[in-house]
Amino acid sequence: MRVATWNVNSIRQREGHVRRWLETHKPDLLFLQELKCETPAFPAGGFEALGYRCEMVGQKAYNGVAVLARLPFAVTHRALPGLGPEDAAPARYIEGVAEGITFIGLYLPNGNSGGEAGFATKLRWMEALHARAAALLADDVPLVIAGDFNVCPTDEDFAPGALPPTDALVRPESRARFRSLLWLGLTDAVRALHPTGPVYTFWDYQAGAWPRDMGLRIDHVLMSPTLAERLTEAVPDRRERGEEKASDHVPVVVGF
DNA sequence: ATGTCGGCCTTTGGCCGA
């Protein structure tokens, strides 16, 4: 099975990129983030023509997540369980089952806007995710969590100088909660196969981040033990960042 | 050098979020 996650930074701007990428890589599932459109504006037809069914959670202007699936995918949740109404309203979460595996596609709050209140929202979100993952693992469900976590887990996960130490993506509170997810028994797929060195998934549009390779690793795929031990491939598709009108994130692909 | 995007409204440029 091959599964990918990709923050596309507007699906209407990136429909052609996604179509081309699907035709080349033919993943079984592709999780998308930052759709930036409401459900009726989602260009489903272009993906259905390639054999992919679309399930999306949209909202105007910001956020938005989807899964494109060429095998049956039964959606079970369109918001992260355990969040209060205000935290759950933004379109950041989709969960469902395919081939007996539970998949979570997520777009975690960045945490840099809205001051300390905005950062606290990010931490609450991560704590609810921890509770959700713990509940699923307690039932011995094979689990994959894929998406834009907006966390650089370690200092190896961003280019020196790419972020100040005060950034919400590297603050110790964010990293501690990411580690707590791993401590549940989940495997960070890319790091399992590429244990050291930079494996970036994002390069800012600003400041020549791409030509200078000033990247971050913030898009992750976490897998439960029985899936992780079958892992054959886990890599960001760097090439995609060099395309015309690219998203600032690239797809991360896992095979198992 | 916070140097670019995308979307929205305040609408043909300024704002927010990233």
Side-chain angles (χ1 to χ4, degrees), chain A residues 33-85:
Chain A
Q33 302 90 38
E34 277 208 86
L35 305 175
K36 294 187 170 180
C37 72
E38 294 177 288
T39 301
F42 185 80
F47 307 127
E48 285 162 359
L50 301 176
Y52 287 85
R53 299 285 300 273
C54 307
E55 293 287 355
M56 80 166 298
V57 184
Q59 70 175 89
K60 186 184 280 197
Y62 301 112
N63 308 320
V65 294
V67 55
L68 309 185
R70 63 173 187 155
L71 44 76
F73 186 96
V75 176
T76 54
H77 296 81
R78 293 176 182 275
L80 173 53
L83 288 179

Side-chain angles (χ1 to χ4, degrees), chain A residues 227-248:
Chain A
L227 300 178
E229 68 190 9
R230 291 166 169 77
L231 196 57
T232 57
E233 175 192 14
V235 69
D237 183 5
R238 266 182 80 96
R239 196 197 54 78
E240 197 60 40
R241 188 63 178 81
E243 289 289 329
E244 283 295 311
K245 298 266 289 175
S247 170
D248 40 5

